Amino acid sequence: MDIDAYSDYFVCSGCGHETPSDVFCTFCSRCHEPFTLESRSPARVFHWNKKGLFKRFGEFLPLDMMEPSADLGTGGTPLVPLTAVADKYGLPPLYAKMESAEPTGSFKDRGTAVAVQKALDLGIPAIGTVSTGNMAASTAAYGARAGLKTVVLVKEDTSEDKIKAAGIFGASMVRVRGDYGALFRKSLELGRKHGIWFMNSVDPFRIEGYKTLSFEIYDDLSEKPPEYVCVPVSAGGHLTGLIKGFEVLKRTGLTEAFPRMIGVQAAGCSPIVQAFRGGESHITRFNHPKTIAHAISNPDPPAGRLILKKMREHGGEMTAVTDAQILQAQRDLASLEGIFCQPASATTLAGWIRFTQSHPVDRSSQCVLVITGSGLKTVDLVDSNALFIKDSDLNELDSLFMDI
Amino acid sequence: MDIDAYSDYFVCSGCGHETPSDVFCTFCSRCHEPFTLESRSPARVFHWNKKGLFKRFGEFLPLDMMEPSADLGTGGTPLVPLTAVADKYGLPPLYAKMESAEPTGSFKDRGTAVAVQKALDLGIPAIGTVSTGNMAASTAAYGARAGLKTVVLVKEDTSEDKIKAAGIFGASMVRVRGDYGALFRKSLELGRKHGIWFMNSVDPFRIEGYKTLSFEIYDDLSEKPPEYVCVPVSAGGHLTGLIKGFEVLKRTGLTEAFPRMIGVQAAGCSPIVQAFRGGESHITRFNHPKTIAHAISNPDPPAGRLILKKMREHGGEMTAVTDAQILQAQRDLASLEGIFCQPASATTLAGWIRFTQSHPVDRSSQCVLVITGSGLKTVDLVDSNALFIKDSDLNELDSLFMDI
């Protein structure tokens, strides 16, 4: 389907340099900060009553052409109330936005869906990504569906299961020895050379897809933003997109309100929290990261400075939580709410509990936790010793039931 | 929220015996066939424009009271076109209904959601199930959310990962030594004794939840049923529910059409296919079942006779596919469509290809494959040798990209 030209261009989030958009340039050549995407096009409208990400929000996406049939059913994830958890911890109205229900089981799908449409739009035949998990599966799946050649670069110690869960889509999987940060930069350089669009974590087009999560949260809550949104922070792309989404809602006049964003990192890898708390404007690489929340263990986040700037501009807050707090939150979400999420996603509950302990929060304030990924991808991290497991034979069952 | 009384009662699918509904009686005491649920209440209406299973379809569910906040966001799964697969095999318009996007990653959630609401409705404090995988996680998750004590009985050789993926919800997990069929029957007997509702695979209330899948398919296809629906068949509960759903659509006058249902089993465990093809009215236990599609490997399906009757009544067809065909279909769905499903779900594509090879199918006929469960639950079954995996260091990447 055709829409009016979006007339997008890039603005450097560091030095403000403006340039035509180019999918092969994620970072500004002058200051090495990531580009963000802006549009010169006139005001656009939402189509709330339609179904599917592209039909509902297509006018706010940087696409001149869209092929909804190339989509996998992105977006439209449930928002569910967390009554039992709120009761346990004495919290005001709490909700979970279930990005774990996306087609490949993580929030990455919104970004991949938009970037892959852009690749089709521009006629780019090959895409790639650098990932340790969620992004690998997402990019490989959408790339396969769109008929694009797809390359996924992973660290040499990536588990067999994670390689299988992306490789099944027919992507070229490459295990690469060496530093992950260097691999991230190298992929962009080689991608440019070979005509492979590496849509990595802070790609400006990927970030445009994340905006749609904010649109849906606004809609799910009967056309108003919540007072708070808690989201895990790794490279910074997802949070950047969420903030952009709420900025759009405000700019279009749909609401005056802007939620207070709470970015959460694992204490064992919290470079943005440290810089935010220390009043710094740049990120210092986090040495010896160690946390069970692997999906957000990024010691040198490429959108870190952008996050610091945006969070300060909007009165956001950054907080860190320990692995013990993360695992407790994961168990609470599962055993009280029936939600099995990744440790990285559980940081949102742990972070919100921590935040409310040190900040006054109005009893009527609504808070949305973004459940970024399915626990089915990290089953190996569940500790069996914390579960109730018994052995029995058929005859013993009767007496066993008396104790249950 | 309150609705008019549904006035449900049980009818035995074997001898026709009618009796008040009783969640502790899945099977008729006279002939041992499963009960199905009927309603004496007047005509009811759909609320297509609402969101959520209970608000849209609540009037067609056997509930006098509903608590939508106890739901996990069931239903509303995407229906996506399978253009590339249809092209490869020269098939008419083909679609996938993505039950893999349900809250716990399988179709079981629709049944569990309804049964758990019924437990709340009746004030039953404890529920249970017998399962080797999908049902365990689904029942444990919804039970946890509803605050019900939940017991999950699994076979002694159930993998650690499957136990973790259900145990994380806080359910009492019991590994039971002995025959699985005997365990199924024992669970119902002991459940009755101890007041634990074992909502197993062919529970009449669970089946009521599966009806909603048919309602959604009708709605997804712009208010008409497809000409064909392919679905994996194990115990028979799911297919029974789908047929009931399409019966309701016809009875309410929304459509005159009834899709031709294609039930698919793995050749290595195909008791219903054998009985159907052989013109039998009863099922002979399938000896030495052996298939990679574990989720549908049921040698003695409790709703087998019911399926034989219903499929003959509606002109349905049963077909069996080999493990090689299943694995090829799984790879096709992943590498051509970006859909990673369980082997059991891939039987639908394999079965549909097989069916079209031996039956004339109109070129304009639409077919929906029910993708019953996420491949993330069976990653261990993916053969790495069939994937493209290379090793490299940073310096070799450049030359490697030339070959990709």
Side-chain angles (χ1 to χ4, degrees):
Chain A
M1 69 200 209
D2 285 331
I3 51 169
D4 295 342
Y6 193 78
S7 306
D8 53 64
Y9 63 102
F10 277 178
V11 178
C12 172
S13 64
C15 66
H17 170 54
E18 295 188 9
T19 180
S21 67
D22 177 351
V23 301
F24 293 105
C25 292
T26 301
F27 295 94
C28 176
S29 59
R30 300 180 183 185
C31 71
H32 310 293
E33 285 296 298
F35 282 118
T36 64
L37 192 136
E38 302 297 335
S39 168
R40 287 200 178 84
S41 68
R44 290 159 178 275
V45 296
F46 290 98
H47 299 280
W48 297 111
N49 292 329
K50 292 195 179 174
K51 267 188 187 174
L53 202 71
F54 293 99
K55 289 180 182 166
R56 298 185 86 194
F57 309 128
E59 295 198 22
F60 295 89
L61 298 174
L63 304 165
D64 296 327
M65 183 276 295
M66 284 188 289
E67 189 45 74
S69 71
D71 188 35
L72 264 170
T74 318
T77 54
L79 182 87
V80 301
L82 302 180
T83 321
V85 162
D87 280 355
K88 173 173 175 177
Y89 291 102
L91 302 168
L94 191 62
Y95 300 86
K97 181 66 173 171
M98 305 284 283
E99 290 296 280
S100 46
E102 292 287 1
T104 77
S106 88
F107 74 96
K108 300 284 188 188
D109 288 353
R110 290 182 195 264
T112 311
V114 170
V116 161
Q117 289 279 341
K118 188 71 183 182
L120 290 174
D121 193 352
L122 297 173
I124 296 171
I127 62 171
T129 202
V130 178
S131 167
T132 54
N134 288 329
M135 186 109 85
S138 180
T139 307
Y142 283 77
R145 185 159 176 91
L148 304 175
K149 204 174 267 290
T150 307
V151 186
V152 176
L153 309 181
V154 298
K155 285 198 286 191
E156 61 176 326
D157 60 354
T158 301
S159 76
E160 182 89 352
D161 274 3
K162 283 184 177 160
I163 289 176
K164 285 178 174 182
I168 183 82
F169 297 108
S172 299
M173 306 294 299
V174 187
R175 280 186 292 240
V176 189
R177 294 177 290 277
D179 178 71
Y180 190 72
L183 175 58
F184 184 96
R185 291 185 294 276
K186 188 83 172 179
S187 73
L188 296 172
E189 175 200 322
L190 291 177
R192 213 158 30 238
K193 178 176 170 185
H194 293 277
I196 305 169
W197 176 5
F198 271 83
M199 35 183 74
N200 292 348
S201 50
V202 300
D203 185 280
F205 289 91
R206 182 175 283 286
I207 286 171
E208 290 299 295
Y210 299 148
K211 288 190 316 194
T212 64
L213 179 61
S214 302
F215 300 162
E216 284 188 18
I217 290 173
Y218 163 88
D219 185 46
D220 293 337
L221 290 172
S222 306
E223 300 177 20
K224 79 173 207 53
E227 278 74 16
Y228 297 89
V229 174
C230 291
V231 60
V233 182
S234 180
H238 192 208
L239 178 50
T240 301
L242 290 193
I243 291 172
K244 278 195 87 169
F246 286 115
E247 284 173 345
V248 168
L249 287 167
K250 199 165 173 183
R251 199 180 317 130
T252 53
L254 286 176
T255 177
E256 282 298 304
F258 198 96
R260 189 156 184 202
M261 309 298 295
I262 319 270
V264 193
Q265 299 201 292
C269 187
S270 49
I272 304 180
V273 176
Q274 292 195 346
F276 187 84
R277 292 281 170 88
E280 305 287 343
S281 63
H282 68 280
I283 305 290
T284 303
R285 186 187 170 91
F286 195 94
N287 288 322
H288 312 300
K290 187 175 186 319
T291 170
I292 195 169
H294 303 149
I296 55 167
S297 179
N298 190 325
D300 194 11
R305 291 182 71 155
L306 173 55
I307 289 294
L308 292 174
K309 197 170 94 178
K310 279 289 175 186
M311 291 294 268
R312 283 171 183 146
E313 179 186 330
H314 287 292
E317 179 70 26
M318 293 292 309
T319 191
V321 290
T322 65
D323 278 13
Q325 290 167 330
I326 292 169
L327 289 171
Q328 180 60 50
Q330 189 191 34
R331 278 193 299 271
D332 282 334
L333 285 165
S335 64
L336 297 172
E337 303 288 357
I339 295 169
F340 179 28
C341 66
Q342 304 181 346
S345 309
T347 61
T348 56
L349 174 58
W352 178 236
I353 292 170
R354 205 188 139 102
F355 180 85
T356 57
Q357 285 165 348
S358 50
H359 297 75
V361 171
D362 194 275
R363 295 300 307 161
S364 65
S365 293
Q366 293 179 314
C367 175
V368 172
L369 310 180
V370 182
I371 302 300
T372 44
S374 165
L376 291 174
K377 297 178 174 210
T378 54
V379 174
D380 54 314
L381 300 178
V382 174
D383 177 9
S384 322
N385 295 317
L387 311 182
F388 178 99
I389 306 173
K390 293 218 170 181
D391 288 285
S392 171
D393 66 24
L394 278 172
N395 296 325
E396 296 164 346
L397 270 184
D398 193 5
S399 58
L400 197 144
F401 276 18
M402 293 192 213
D403 303 332
I404 282 173
Chain B
M1 69 200 210
D2 285 331
I3 51 170
D4 295 341
Y6 194 78
S7 306
D8 54 63
Y9 64 103
F10 278 176
V11 179
C12 172
S13 63
C15 65
H17 169 55
E18 294 188 10
T19 180
S21 68
D22 177 353
V23 301
F24 294 106
C25 292
T26 301
F27 295 94
C28 175
S29 59
R30 301 178 183 188
C31 71
H32 310 292
E33 285 297 297
F35 283 119
T36 63
L37 193 135
E38 302 298 334
S39 168
R40 286 199 179 84
S41 68
R44 291 162 178 271
V45 295
F46 290 97
H47 300 280
W48 296 111
N49 292 328
K50 292 194 178 173
K51 267 189 187 173
L53 202 72
F54 294 98
K55 290 181 180 165
R56 298 185 86 193
F57 308 127
E59 295 198 23
F60 295 89
L61 298 174
L63 304 165
D64 296 328
M65 183 276 295
M66 284 187 291
E67 188 45 76
S69 71
D71 187 36
L72 264 171
T74 318
T77 54
L79 182 88
V80 300
L82 302 180
T83 321
V85 162
D87 281 354
K88 174 173 176 178
Y89 292 100
L91 302 168
L94 191 62
Y95 299 86
K97 181 67 173 171
M98 305 284 283
E99 290 296 279
S100 46
E102 293 286 0
T104 77
S106 89
F107 75 97
K108 299 284 187 187
D109 288 353
R110 289 182 195 263
T112 311
V114 170
V116 161
Q117 289 279 340
K118 189 71 184 179
L120 290 175
D121 193 352
L122 297 174
I124 295 171
I127 62 171
T129 200
V130 177
S131 166
T132 54
N134 289 329
M135 186 109 85
S138 180
T139 307
Y142 283 77
R145 185 162 176 90
L148 305 174
K149 205 174 267 290
T150 307
V151 186
V152 176
L153 308 181
V154 298
K155 285 197 287 191
E156 60 176 328
D157 60 353
T158 301
S159 75
E160 182 89 353
D161 274 2
K162 282 183 177 161
I163 289 176
K164 285 178 175 183
I168 183 84
F169 297 109
S172 299
M173 306 293 300
V174 187
R175 280 185 293 236
V176 189
R177 293 178 291 275
D179 178 70
Y180 190 72
L183 175 59
F184 184 96
R185 291 185 295 276
K186 188 85 172 176
S187 72
L188 296 172
E189 174 199 322
L190 290 178
R192 215 160 26 241
K193 178 175 170 187
H194 293 278
I196 304 169
W197 175 7
F198 271 83
M199 36 184 74
N200 292 348
S201 50
V202 299
D203 185 279
F205 289 91
R206 181 176 285 286
I207 287 171
E208 291 298 295
Y210 298 148
K211 289 190 314 194
T212 63
L213 180 61
S214 301
F215 300 162
E216 285 188 17
I217 289 173
Y218 163 88
D219 185 46
D220 293 337
L221 290 173
S222 307
E223 300 175 22
K224 79 174 208 51
E227 278 74 15
Y228 297 89
V229 174
C230 290
V231 61
V233 182
S234 180
H238 192 208
L239 177 51
T240 302
L242 290 192
I243 291 172
K244 278 197 87 170
F246 286 115
E247 285 173 345
V248 168
L249 287 167
K250 200 166 172 181
R251 199 181 317 130
T252 53
L254 286 176
T255 177
E256 283 297 303
F258 198 96
R260 189 156 185 202
M261 309 297 296
I262 320 272
V264 192
Q265 297 201 294
C269 185
S270 49
I272 304 180
V273 175
Q274 292 194 347
F276 187 85
R277 291 281 171 88
E280 305 288 342
S281 64
H282 68 279
I283 305 290
T284 303
R285 187 186 169 91
F286 195 95
N287 289 321
H288 313 299
K290 188 176 184 317
T291 170
I292 195 169
H294 303 148
I296 55 168
S297 179
N298 190 324
D300 194 11
R305 291 181 71 153
L306 174 54
I307 290 294
L308 292 174
K309 197 170 94 179
K310 280 288 176 185
M311 291 293 268
R312 283 172 184 144
E313 179 185 331
H314 288 290
E317 180 69 28
M318 293 292 309
T319 191
V321 290
T322 66
D323 279 12
Q325 290 167 329
I326 293 170
L327 288 172
Q328 180 62 48
Q330 187 191 36
R331 277 195 299 273
D332 282 335
L333 286 166
S335 64
L336 297 173
E337 302 290 356
I339 295 169
F340 179 28
C341 67
Q342 304 181 346
S345 309
T347 61
T348 56
L349 174 58
W352 178 236
I353 291 170
R354 206 188 136 102
F355 180 85
T356 58
Q357 284 165 350
S358 50
H359 297 75
V361 171
D362 194 274
R363 296 299 308 159
S364 65
S365 293
Q366 293 179 315
C367 175
V368 172
L369 311 180
V370 183
I371 303 299
T372 44
S374 166
L376 291 174
K377 298 178 174 212
T378 55
V379 174
D380 54 315
L381 301 178
V382 174
D383 177 10
S384 319
N385 295 318
L387 311 182
F388 178 99
I389 306 173
K390 293 219 170 179
D391 288 285
S392 171
D393 66 23
L394 278 172
N395 296 325
E396 295 164 346
L397 270 184
D398 193 6
S399 58
L400 197 145
F401 275 19
M402 292 192 212
D403 303 332
I404 282 174

